[in-house]
Amino acid sequence: MRLDFSKKTMQDFERNAEVVHATRERSFWRFMLADRRAVFATSVLILITVACIFAFLSPYDPNALSVQDKLMPPNSSHWFGTDDHGRDYLTRVLYGGRVSLLVGVFAMMIAVVVGTLAGTVSGYFGGFVDNMVMRFLDIFMSIPSFFLLMILNAYLKPGISNIIIIIGLLSWMEVARIVRAETLTLKEREFILYSKSSGGGFFHIMFKHIIPNAMPSIVVAASLNVATAILTESALSFLGLGVQQPNASWGSMLNNAQGYVGEATYLALFPGLLILMTILSFNVLGDVLRKGLSRRY
């Protein structure tokens, strides 16, 4: 089917679209700033991220051992106390947060890119391509991903980059399902049909129309993926399969705290609390973004 549009009609359409876009943009930011949950969650994430980035300002070396200072409770010199090797725990927590956040964000990026591409291809072309992509996705989803992750990570060389890649490549399926559903709906809309009739190719339509209109769902999936990746990395490190000593992550610090739950509760309290705050903040922010972006698009 080929649609005919005059040049004047298209100019009017584009002008009206720009006005609508600007209006929705202002409405979106007003909505976000008015939502206390979004402001609080964003503030928490910014505070944690900035603190982790500037961890190098700490006067303590995160890996410096001091046997005489081991297992000191929180005090004026060591705000979070010290661990079983006398290392400043606040410094360790901040450096560990770098690793956990890095894994969460980059694993999410891999999952979103792969999932968005797979979902768009599947929904846009349909038929045989759709069946093949969905069967491949079903195979991935039928495998217990955490156990597969443990096996792969045990056989590969330990390292943050391997953890990021493995988690990212085992987390794209839900994003693909969401984007496919959005694409199936969007590809029958008038603006997609016009773009096709004007000679727009798949990549033009994907980046110009499908992804922007599917953005609310993608953003929510991305925020959940960050939280899931942080939890997954923490679980791996807790089991001793993730970040290795002397480096720290929140999960590895929880692993180390197991033997001191009764003697030094703070060793588990601080990294556990930061994991909880970070994941809750990402989930809350994702939910509010979904509502705000749904109003915008």
Side-chain angles (χ1 to χ4, degrees), residues 161-195:
S161 58
N162 283 338
I163 294 174
I164 291 172
I165 293 171
I166 294 171
I167 293 177
L169 292 179
L170 292 177
S171 307
W172 61 272
M173 293 81 75
E174 192 60 35
V175 179
R177 282 188 177 277
I178 292 171
V179 175
R180 174 183 176 270
E182 295 282 353
T183 304
L184 288 172
T185 303
L186 290 168
K187 73 176 184 178
E188 302 300 331
R189 300 278 292 274
E190 290 81 0
F191 57 89
I192 299 287
L193 296 176
Y194 167 74
S195 185

PDB file of all heavy atoms in Angstrom, residues 161-195:
ATOM      1  N   SER A 161      34.886  -7.544  33.397  1.00  0.00           N
ATOM      2  CA  SER A 161      34.393  -7.490  32.016  1.00  0.00           C
ATOM      3  C   SER A 161      33.636  -8.760  31.653  1.00  0.00           C
ATOM      4  O   SER A 161      32.587  -8.700  30.989  1.00  0.00           O
ATOM      5  CB  SER A 161      35.556  -7.267  31.048  1.00  0.00           C
ATOM      6  OG  SER A 161      36.523  -8.302  31.173  1.00  0.00           O
ATOM      7  N   ASN A 162      34.136  -9.910  32.075  1.00  0.00           N
ATOM      8  CA  ASN A 162      33.434 -11.165  31.792  1.00  0.00           C
ATOM      9  C   ASN A 162      32.084 -11.216  32.498  1.00  0.00           C
ATOM     10  O   ASN A 162      31.091 -11.695  31.934  1.00  0.00           O
ATOM     11  CB  ASN A 162      34.283 -12.360  32.224  1.00  0.00           C
ATOM     12  CG  ASN A 162      35.410 -12.655  31.245  1.00  0.00           C
ATOM     13  OD1 ASN A 162      35.338 -12.269  30.081  1.00  0.00           O
ATOM     14  ND2 ASN A 162      36.450 -13.316  31.705  1.00  0.00           N
ATOM     15  N   ILE A 163      32.045 -10.733  33.725  1.00  0.00           N
ATOM     16  CA  ILE A 163      30.784 -10.714  34.474  1.00  0.00           C
ATOM     17  C   ILE A 163      29.765  -9.832  33.766  1.00  0.00           C
ATOM     18  O   ILE A 163      28.590 -10.199  33.614  1.00  0.00           O
ATOM     19  CB  ILE A 163      31.025 -10.214  35.917  1.00  0.00           C
ATOM     20  CG1 ILE A 163      31.891 -11.209  36.688  1.00  0.00           C
ATOM     21  CG2 ILE A 163      29.698 -10.004  36.642  1.00  0.00           C
ATOM     22  CD1 ILE A 163      32.295 -10.734  38.071  1.00  0.00           C
ATOM     23  N   ILE A 164      30.203  -8.661  33.310  1.00  0.00           N
ATOM     24  CA  ILE A 164      29.304  -7.736  32.613  1.00  0.00           C
ATOM     25  C   ILE A 164      28.746  -8.373  31.349  1.00  0.00           C
ATOM     26  O   ILE A 164      27.531  -8.338  31.094  1.00  0.00           O
ATOM     27  CB  ILE A 164      30.047  -6.430  32.269  1.00  0.00           C
ATOM     28  CG1 ILE A 164      30.360  -5.643  33.542  1.00  0.00           C
ATOM     29  CG2 ILE A 164      29.223  -5.573  31.307  1.00  0.00           C
ATOM     30  CD1 ILE A 164      31.249  -4.435  33.310  1.00  0.00           C
ATOM     31  N   ILE A 165      29.621  -8.962  30.548  1.00  0.00           N
ATOM     32  CA  ILE A 165      29.194  -9.548  29.271  1.00  0.00           C
ATOM     33  C   ILE A 165      28.237 -10.710  29.498  1.00  0.00           C
ATOM     34  O   ILE A 165      27.186 -10.817  28.844  1.00  0.00           O
ATOM     35  CB  ILE A 165      30.422 -10.005  28.456  1.00  0.00           C
ATOM     36  CG1 ILE A 165      31.250  -8.788  28.026  1.00  0.00           C
ATOM     37  CG2 ILE A 165      29.985 -10.806  27.233  1.00  0.00           C
ATOM     38  CD1 ILE A 165      32.585  -9.139  27.405  1.00  0.00           C
ATOM     39  N   ILE A 166      28.567 -11.580  30.441  1.00  0.00           N
ATOM     40  CA  ILE A 166      27.726 -12.751  30.690  1.00  0.00           C
ATOM     41  C   ILE A 166      26.351 -12.335  31.204  1.00  0.00           C
ATOM     42  O   ILE A 166      25.316 -12.810  30.715  1.00  0.00           O
ATOM     43  CB  ILE A 166      28.410 -13.707  31.693  1.00  0.00           C
ATOM     44  CG1 ILE A 166      29.686 -14.289  31.087  1.00  0.00           C
ATOM     45  CG2 ILE A 166      27.461 -14.836  32.078  1.00  0.00           C
ATOM     46  CD1 ILE A 166      30.521 -15.074  32.080  1.00  0.00           C
ATOM     47  N   ILE A 167      26.321 -11.436  32.181  1.00  0.00           N
ATOM     48  CA  ILE A 167      25.029 -10.990  32.722  1.00  0.00           C
ATOM     49  C   ILE A 167      24.215 -10.289  31.637  1.00  0.00           C
ATOM     50  O   ILE A 167      23.005 -10.518  31.495  1.00  0.00           O
ATOM     51  CB  ILE A 167      25.241 -10.051  33.929  1.00  0.00           C
ATOM     52  CG1 ILE A 167      25.842 -10.821  35.107  1.00  0.00           C
ATOM     53  CG2 ILE A 167      23.918  -9.412  34.353  1.00  0.00           C
ATOM     54  CD1 ILE A 167      26.163  -9.960  36.315  1.00  0.00           C
ATOM     55  N   GLY A 168      24.869  -9.443  30.846  1.00  0.00           N
ATOM     56  CA  GLY A 168      24.161  -8.729  29.785  1.00  0.00           C
ATOM     57  C   GLY A 168      23.565  -9.660  28.747  1.00  0.00           C
ATOM     58  O   GLY A 168      22.413  -9.494  28.326  1.00  0.00           O
ATOM     59  N   LEU A 169      24.334 -10.677  28.344  1.00  0.00           N
ATOM     60  CA  LEU A 169      23.865 -11.602  27.308  1.00  0.00           C
ATOM     61  C   LEU A 169      22.843 -12.607  27.822  1.00  0.00           C
ATOM     62  O   LEU A 169      22.229 -13.325  27.030  1.00  0.00           O
ATOM     63  CB  LEU A 169      25.060 -12.345  26.696  1.00  0.00           C
ATOM     64  CG  LEU A 169      26.022 -11.481  25.876  1.00  0.00           C
ATOM     65  CD1 LEU A 169      27.168 -12.321  25.337  1.00  0.00           C
ATOM     66  CD2 LEU A 169      25.291 -10.782  24.724  1.00  0.00           C
ATOM     67  N   LEU A 170      22.665 -12.669  29.127  1.00  0.00           N
ATOM     68  CA  LEU A 170      21.644 -13.553  29.696  1.00  0.00           C
ATOM     69  C   LEU A 170      20.449 -12.770  30.245  1.00  0.00           C
ATOM     70  O   LEU A 170      19.604 -13.342  30.931  1.00  0.00           O
ATOM     71  CB  LEU A 170      22.258 -14.408  30.813  1.00  0.00           C
ATOM     72  CG  LEU A 170      23.293 -15.449  30.379  1.00  0.00           C
ATOM     73  CD1 LEU A 170      23.871 -16.171  31.588  1.00  0.00           C
ATOM     74  CD2 LEU A 170      22.682 -16.462  29.407  1.00  0.00           C
ATOM     75  N   SER A 171      20.369 -11.475  29.899  1.00  0.00           N
ATOM     76  CA  SER A 171      19.305 -10.636  30.462  1.00  0.00           C
ATOM     77  C   SER A 171      18.490  -9.899  29.403  1.00  0.00           C
ATOM     78  O   SER A 171      17.667  -9.055  29.750  1.00  0.00           O
ATOM     79  CB  SER A 171      19.920  -9.600  31.423  1.00  0.00           C
ATOM     80  OG  SER A 171      20.726 -10.205  32.399  1.00  0.00           O
ATOM     81  N   TRP A 172      18.699 -10.213  28.124  1.00  0.00           N
ATOM     82  CA  TRP A 172      18.062  -9.440  27.057  1.00  0.00           C
ATOM     83  C   TRP A 172      16.671  -9.939  26.693  1.00  0.00           C
ATOM     84  O   TRP A 172      15.914  -9.249  26.001  1.00  0.00           O
ATOM     85  CB  TRP A 172      18.935  -9.480  25.801  1.00  0.00           C
ATOM     86  CG  TRP A 172      19.142 -10.867  25.254  1.00  0.00           C
ATOM     87  CD1 TRP A 172      20.122 -11.739  25.609  1.00  0.00           C
ATOM     88  CD2 TRP A 172      18.342 -11.540  24.274  1.00  0.00           C
ATOM     89  NE1 TRP A 172      19.994 -12.923  24.909  1.00  0.00           N
ATOM     90  CE2 TRP A 172      18.907 -12.822  24.084  1.00  0.00           C
ATOM     91  CE3 TRP A 172      17.212 -11.182  23.541  1.00  0.00           C
ATOM     92  CZ2 TRP A 172      18.369 -13.747  23.190  1.00  0.00           C
ATOM     93  CZ3 TRP A 172      16.669 -12.103  22.649  1.00  0.00           C
ATOM     94  CH2 TRP A 172      17.251 -13.368  22.482  1.00  0.00           C
ATOM     95  N   MET A 173      16.282 -11.117  27.154  1.00  0.00           N
ATOM     96  CA  MET A 173      15.063 -11.760  26.657  1.00  0.00           C
ATOM     97  C   MET A 173      13.795 -10.978  26.991  1.00  0.00           C
ATOM     98  O   MET A 173      12.905 -10.819  26.151  1.00  0.00           O
ATOM     99  CB  MET A 173      14.969 -13.184  27.198  1.00  0.00           C
ATOM    100  CG  MET A 173      16.032 -14.126  26.661  1.00  0.00           C
ATOM    101  SD  MET A 173      17.614 -13.972  27.522  1.00  0.00           S
ATOM    102  CE  MET A 173      17.242 -14.798  29.064  1.00  0.00           C
ATOM    103  N   GLU A 174      13.706 -10.482  28.210  1.00  0.00           N
ATOM    104  CA  GLU A 174      12.497  -9.750  28.604  1.00  0.00           C
ATOM    105  C   GLU A 174      12.384  -8.441  27.827  1.00  0.00           C
ATOM    106  O   GLU A 174      11.280  -8.038  27.429  1.00  0.00           O
ATOM    107  CB  GLU A 174      12.525  -9.474  30.110  1.00  0.00           C
ATOM    108  CG  GLU A 174      11.206  -8.972  30.664  1.00  0.00           C
ATOM    109  CD  GLU A 174      10.065  -9.953  30.465  1.00  0.00           C
ATOM    110  OE1 GLU A 174      10.307 -11.175  30.541  1.00  0.00           O
ATOM    111  OE2 GLU A 174       8.935  -9.493  30.221  1.00  0.00           O
ATOM    112  N   VAL A 175      13.518  -7.793  27.592  1.00  0.00           N
ATOM    113  CA  VAL A 175      13.509  -6.568  26.786  1.00  0.00           C
ATOM    114  C   VAL A 175      13.017  -6.877  25.377  1.00  0.00           C
ATOM    115  O   VAL A 175      12.217  -6.126  24.798  1.00  0.00           O
ATOM    116  CB  VAL A 175      14.915  -5.936  26.732  1.00  0.00           C
ATOM    117  CG1 VAL A 175      14.901  -4.669  25.875  1.00  0.00           C
ATOM    118  CG2 VAL A 175      15.419  -5.614  28.130  1.00  0.00           C
ATOM    119  N   ALA A 176      13.480  -7.989  24.816  1.00  0.00           N
ATOM    120  CA  ALA A 176      13.070  -8.370  23.461  1.00  0.00           C
ATOM    121  C   ALA A 176      11.563  -8.614  23.388  1.00  0.00           C
ATOM    122  O   ALA A 176      10.902  -8.197  22.424  1.00  0.00           O
ATOM    123  CB  ALA A 176      13.831  -9.621  23.022  1.00  0.00           C
ATOM    124  N   ARG A 177      11.008  -9.273  24.372  1.00  0.00           N
ATOM    125  CA  ARG A 177       9.563  -9.521  24.383  1.00  0.00           C
ATOM    126  C   ARG A 177       8.776  -8.210  24.429  1.00  0.00           C
ATOM    127  O   ARG A 177       7.780  -8.036  23.721  1.00  0.00           O
ATOM    128  CB  ARG A 177       9.185 -10.391  25.587  1.00  0.00           C
ATOM    129  CG  ARG A 177       9.488 -11.868  25.416  1.00  0.00           C
ATOM    130  CD  ARG A 177       8.898 -12.664  26.570  1.00  0.00           C
ATOM    131  NE  ARG A 177       9.099 -14.083  26.404  1.00  0.00           N
ATOM    132  CZ  ARG A 177       8.333 -14.878  25.674  1.00  0.00           C
ATOM    133  NH1 ARG A 177       7.304 -14.369  25.014  1.00  0.00           N
ATOM    134  NH2 ARG A 177       8.581 -16.166  25.588  1.00  0.00           N
ATOM    135  N   ILE A 178       9.231  -7.302  25.269  1.00  0.00           N
ATOM    136  CA  ILE A 178       8.535  -6.019  25.416  1.00  0.00           C
ATOM    137  C   ILE A 178       8.597  -5.220  24.118  1.00  0.00           C
ATOM    138  O   ILE A 178       7.584  -4.694  23.639  1.00  0.00           O
ATOM    139  CB  ILE A 178       9.150  -5.218  26.579  1.00  0.00           C
ATOM    140  CG1 ILE A 178       8.846  -5.910  27.913  1.00  0.00           C
ATOM    141  CG2 ILE A 178       8.632  -3.787  26.586  1.00  0.00           C
ATOM    142  CD1 ILE A 178       9.595  -5.326  29.091  1.00  0.00           C
ATOM    143  N   VAL A 179       9.790  -5.135  23.527  1.00  0.00           N
ATOM    144  CA  VAL A 179       9.956  -4.352  22.298  1.00  0.00           C
ATOM    145  C   VAL A 179       9.208  -5.006  21.141  1.00  0.00           C
ATOM    146  O   VAL A 179       8.622  -4.311  20.296  1.00  0.00           O
ATOM    147  CB  VAL A 179      11.453  -4.187  21.967  1.00  0.00           C
ATOM    148  CG1 VAL A 179      11.637  -3.481  20.630  1.00  0.00           C
ATOM    149  CG2 VAL A 179      12.154  -3.402  23.067  1.00  0.00           C
ATOM    150  N   ARG A 180       9.190  -6.308  21.082  1.00  0.00           N
ATOM    151  CA  ARG A 180       8.437  -7.002  20.024  1.00  0.00           C
ATOM    152  C   ARG A 180       6.953  -6.659  20.107  1.00  0.00           C
ATOM    153  O   ARG A 180       6.309  -6.378  19.083  1.00  0.00           O
ATOM    154  CB  ARG A 180       8.624  -8.511  20.152  1.00  0.00           C
ATOM    155  CG  ARG A 180       7.753  -9.322  19.191  1.00  0.00           C
ATOM    156  CD  ARG A 180       7.929 -10.814  19.406  1.00  0.00           C
ATOM    157  NE  ARG A 180       7.037 -11.584  18.552  1.00  0.00           N
ATOM    158  CZ  ARG A 180       5.802 -11.949  18.899  1.00  0.00           C
ATOM    159  NH1 ARG A 180       5.312 -11.601  20.091  1.00  0.00           N
ATOM    160  NH2 ARG A 180       5.047 -12.653  18.061  1.00  0.00           N
ATOM    161  N   ALA A 181       6.406  -6.699  21.316  1.00  0.00           N
ATOM    162  CA  ALA A 181       4.986  -6.376  21.481  1.00  0.00           C
ATOM    163  C   ALA A 181       4.698  -4.939  21.049  1.00  0.00           C
ATOM    164  O   ALA A 181       3.681  -4.669  20.391  1.00  0.00           O
ATOM    165  CB  ALA A 181       4.575  -6.587  22.936  1.00  0.00           C
ATOM    166  N   GLU A 182       5.583  -4.023  21.397  1.00  0.00           N
ATOM    167  CA  GLU A 182       5.403  -2.629  20.991  1.00  0.00           C
ATOM    168  C   GLU A 182       5.504  -2.492  19.472  1.00  0.00           C
ATOM    169  O   GLU A 182       4.739  -1.751  18.848  1.00  0.00           O
ATOM    170  CB  GLU A 182       6.464  -1.751  21.664  1.00  0.00           C
ATOM    171  CG  GLU A 182       6.354  -1.663  23.174  1.00  0.00           C
ATOM    172  CD  GLU A 182       5.259  -0.710  23.613  1.00  0.00           C
ATOM    173  OE1 GLU A 182       4.683  -0.017  22.754  1.00  0.00           O
ATOM    174  OE2 GLU A 182       4.976  -0.670  24.822  1.00  0.00           O
ATOM    175  N   THR A 183       6.451  -3.209  18.873  1.00  0.00           N
ATOM    176  CA  THR A 183       6.657  -3.115  17.426  1.00  0.00           C
ATOM    177  C   THR A 183       5.460  -3.655  16.658  1.00  0.00           C
ATOM    178  O   THR A 183       5.050  -3.082  15.637  1.00  0.00           O
ATOM    179  CB  THR A 183       7.926  -3.886  17.020  1.00  0.00           C
ATOM    180  OG1 THR A 183       9.043  -3.391  17.768  1.00  0.00           O
ATOM    181  CG2 THR A 183       8.214  -3.725  15.537  1.00  0.00           C
ATOM    182  N   LEU A 184       4.879  -4.751  17.130  1.00  0.00           N
ATOM    183  CA  LEU A 184       3.708  -5.322  16.465  1.00  0.00           C
ATOM    184  C   LEU A 184       2.558  -4.323  16.419  1.00  0.00           C
ATOM    185  O   LEU A 184       1.799  -4.274  15.440  1.00  0.00           O
ATOM    186  CB  LEU A 184       3.264  -6.595  17.196  1.00  0.00           C
ATOM    187  CG  LEU A 184       4.159  -7.825  17.028  1.00  0.00           C
ATOM    188  CD1 LEU A 184       3.703  -8.951  17.949  1.00  0.00           C
ATOM    189  CD2 LEU A 184       4.155  -8.292  15.573  1.00  0.00           C
ATOM    190  N   THR A 185       2.430  -3.525  17.470  1.00  0.00           N
ATOM    191  CA  THR A 185       1.374  -2.511  17.506  1.00  0.00           C
ATOM    192  C   THR A 185       1.731  -1.303  16.647  1.00  0.00           C
ATOM    193  O   THR A 185       0.901  -0.797  15.879  1.00  0.00           O
ATOM    194  CB  THR A 185       1.133  -2.052  18.957  1.00  0.00           C
ATOM    195  OG1 THR A 185       0.794  -3.182  19.757  1.00  0.00           O
ATOM    196  CG2 THR A 185       0.015  -1.030  19.023  1.00  0.00           C
ATOM    197  N   LEU A 186       2.975  -0.864  16.757  1.00  0.00           N
ATOM    198  CA  LEU A 186       3.380   0.373  16.090  1.00  0.00           C
ATOM    199  C   LEU A 186       3.464   0.237  14.575  1.00  0.00           C
ATOM    200  O   LEU A 186       3.203   1.204  13.852  1.00  0.00           O
ATOM    201  CB  LEU A 186       4.741   0.826  16.633  1.00  0.00           C
ATOM    202  CG  LEU A 186       4.763   1.347  18.067  1.00  0.00           C
ATOM    203  CD1 LEU A 186       6.199   1.476  18.561  1.00  0.00           C
ATOM    204  CD2 LEU A 186       4.054   2.697  18.155  1.00  0.00           C
ATOM    205  N   LYS A 187       3.828  -0.929  14.072  1.00  0.00           N
ATOM    206  CA  LYS A 187       4.086  -1.041  12.633  1.00  0.00           C
ATOM    207  C   LYS A 187       2.828  -0.875  11.784  1.00  0.00           C
ATOM    208  O   LYS A 187       2.928  -0.710  10.564  1.00  0.00           O
ATOM    209  CB  LYS A 187       4.768  -2.367  12.313  1.00  0.00           C
ATOM    210  CG  LYS A 187       3.885  -3.594  12.404  1.00  0.00           C
ATOM    211  CD  LYS A 187       4.669  -4.827  11.971  1.00  0.00           C
ATOM    212  CE  LYS A 187       3.803  -6.074  11.950  1.00  0.00           C
ATOM    213  NZ  LYS A 187       4.568  -7.254  11.493  1.00  0.00           N
ATOM    214  N   GLU A 188       1.657  -0.912  12.419  1.00  0.00           N
ATOM    215  CA  GLU A 188       0.410  -0.697  11.683  1.00  0.00           C
ATOM    216  C   GLU A 188      -0.088   0.741  11.806  1.00  0.00           C
ATOM    217  O   GLU A 188      -1.135   1.073  11.249  1.00  0.00           O
ATOM    218  CB  GLU A 188      -0.674  -1.653  12.207  1.00  0.00           C
ATOM    219  CG  GLU A 188      -0.313  -3.128  12.102  1.00  0.00           C
ATOM    220  CD  GLU A 188      -0.057  -3.566  10.668  1.00  0.00           C
ATOM    221  OE1 GLU A 188      -0.654  -2.958   9.749  1.00  0.00           O
ATOM    222  OE2 GLU A 188       0.745  -4.489  10.459  1.00  0.00           O
ATOM    223  N   ARG A 189       0.651   1.582  12.511  1.00  0.00           N
ATOM    224  CA  ARG A 189       0.231   2.974  12.679  1.00  0.00           C
ATOM    225  C   ARG A 189       0.498   3.773  11.405  1.00  0.00           C
ATOM    226  O   ARG A 189       1.379   3.436  10.606  1.00  0.00           O
ATOM    227  CB  ARG A 189       0.973   3.607  13.863  1.00  0.00           C
ATOM    228  CG  ARG A 189       0.743   2.909  15.197  1.00  0.00           C
ATOM    229  CD  ARG A 189      -0.537   3.339  15.846  1.00  0.00           C
ATOM    230  NE  ARG A 189      -0.469   4.720  16.267  1.00  0.00           N
ATOM    231  CZ  ARG A 189       0.026   5.117  17.439  1.00  0.00           C
ATOM    232  NH1 ARG A 189       0.525   4.231  18.296  1.00  0.00           N
ATOM    233  NH2 ARG A 189       0.030   6.398  17.755  1.00  0.00           N
ATOM    234  N   GLU A 190      -0.246   4.885  11.254  1.00  0.00           N
ATOM    235  CA  GLU A 190      -0.181   5.657  10.017  1.00  0.00           C
ATOM    236  C   GLU A 190       1.210   6.215   9.733  1.00  0.00           C
ATOM    237  O   GLU A 190       1.672   6.215   8.583  1.00  0.00           O
ATOM    238  CB  GLU A 190      -1.195   6.813  10.062  1.00  0.00           C
ATOM    239  CG  GLU A 190      -2.647   6.390   9.974  1.00  0.00           C
ATOM    240  CD  GLU A 190      -3.193   5.907  11.311  1.00  0.00           C
ATOM    241  OE1 GLU A 190      -2.424   5.915  12.308  1.00  0.00           O
ATOM    242  OE2 GLU A 190      -4.371   5.512  11.363  1.00  0.00           O
ATOM    243  N   PHE A 191       1.896   6.703  10.763  1.00  0.00           N
ATOM    244  CA  PHE A 191       3.196   7.323  10.510  1.00  0.00           C
ATOM    245  C   PHE A 191       4.237   6.293  10.070  1.00  0.00           C
ATOM    246  O   PHE A 191       5.164   6.615   9.326  1.00  0.00           O
ATOM    247  CB  PHE A 191       3.682   8.101  11.741  1.00  0.00           C
ATOM    248  CG  PHE A 191       3.787   7.288  13.003  1.00  0.00           C
ATOM    249  CD1 PHE A 191       4.946   6.615  13.319  1.00  0.00           C
ATOM    250  CD2 PHE A 191       2.715   7.207  13.879  1.00  0.00           C
ATOM    251  CE1 PHE A 191       5.057   5.877  14.482  1.00  0.00           C
ATOM    252  CE2 PHE A 191       2.812   6.478  15.045  1.00  0.00           C
ATOM    253  CZ  PHE A 191       3.983   5.804  15.351  1.00  0.00           C
ATOM    254  N   ILE A 192       4.076   5.039  10.511  1.00  0.00           N
ATOM    255  CA  ILE A 192       4.979   3.985  10.041  1.00  0.00           C
ATOM    256  C   ILE A 192       4.667   3.656   8.579  1.00  0.00           C
ATOM    257  O   ILE A 192       5.577   3.490   7.750  1.00  0.00           O
ATOM    258  CB  ILE A 192       4.842   2.721  10.906  1.00  0.00           C
ATOM    259  CG1 ILE A 192       5.215   3.017  12.364  1.00  0.00           C
ATOM    260  CG2 ILE A 192       5.716   1.602  10.349  1.00  0.00           C
ATOM    261  CD1 ILE A 192       6.667   3.209  12.622  1.00  0.00           C
ATOM    262  N   LEU A 193       3.380   3.575   8.269  1.00  0.00           N
ATOM    263  CA  LEU A 193       2.984   3.288   6.888  1.00  0.00           C
ATOM    264  C   LEU A 193       3.455   4.387   5.947  1.00  0.00           C
ATOM    265  O   LEU A 193       3.905   4.115   4.827  1.00  0.00           O
ATOM    266  CB  LEU A 193       1.462   3.135   6.800  1.00  0.00           C
ATOM    267  CG  LEU A 193       0.855   1.958   7.583  1.00  0.00           C
ATOM    268  CD1 LEU A 193      -0.659   1.983   7.486  1.00  0.00           C
ATOM    269  CD2 LEU A 193       1.408   0.631   7.063  1.00  0.00           C
ATOM    270  N   TYR A 194       3.354   5.632   6.407  1.00  0.00           N
ATOM    271  CA  TYR A 194       3.834   6.733   5.566  1.00  0.00           C
ATOM    272  C   TYR A 194       5.342   6.640   5.358  1.00  0.00           C
ATOM    273  O   TYR A 194       5.848   6.841   4.248  1.00  0.00           O
ATOM    274  CB  TYR A 194       3.482   8.080   6.190  1.00  0.00           C
ATOM    275  CG  TYR A 194       4.224   9.208   5.521  1.00  0.00           C
ATOM    276  CD1 TYR A 194       3.865   9.653   4.255  1.00  0.00           C
ATOM    277  CD2 TYR A 194       5.335   9.792   6.141  1.00  0.00           C
ATOM    278  CE1 TYR A 194       4.573  10.649   3.618  1.00  0.00           C
ATOM    279  CE2 TYR A 194       6.049  10.793   5.511  1.00  0.00           C
ATOM    280  CZ  TYR A 194       5.660  11.222   4.252  1.00  0.00           C
ATOM    281  OH  TYR A 194       6.372  12.204   3.625  1.00  0.00           O
ATOM    282  N   SER A 195       6.066   6.323   6.438  1.00  0.00           N
ATOM    283  CA  SER A 195       7.520   6.221   6.327  1.00  0.00           C
ATOM    284  C   SER A 195       7.914   5.121   5.347  1.00  0.00           C
ATOM    285  O   SER A 195       8.842   5.277   4.553  1.00  0.00           O
ATOM    286  CB  SER A 195       8.129   5.949   7.705  1.00  0.00           C
ATOM    287  OG  SER A 195       9.537   5.958   7.651  1.00  0.00           O
TER     288      SER A 195
END
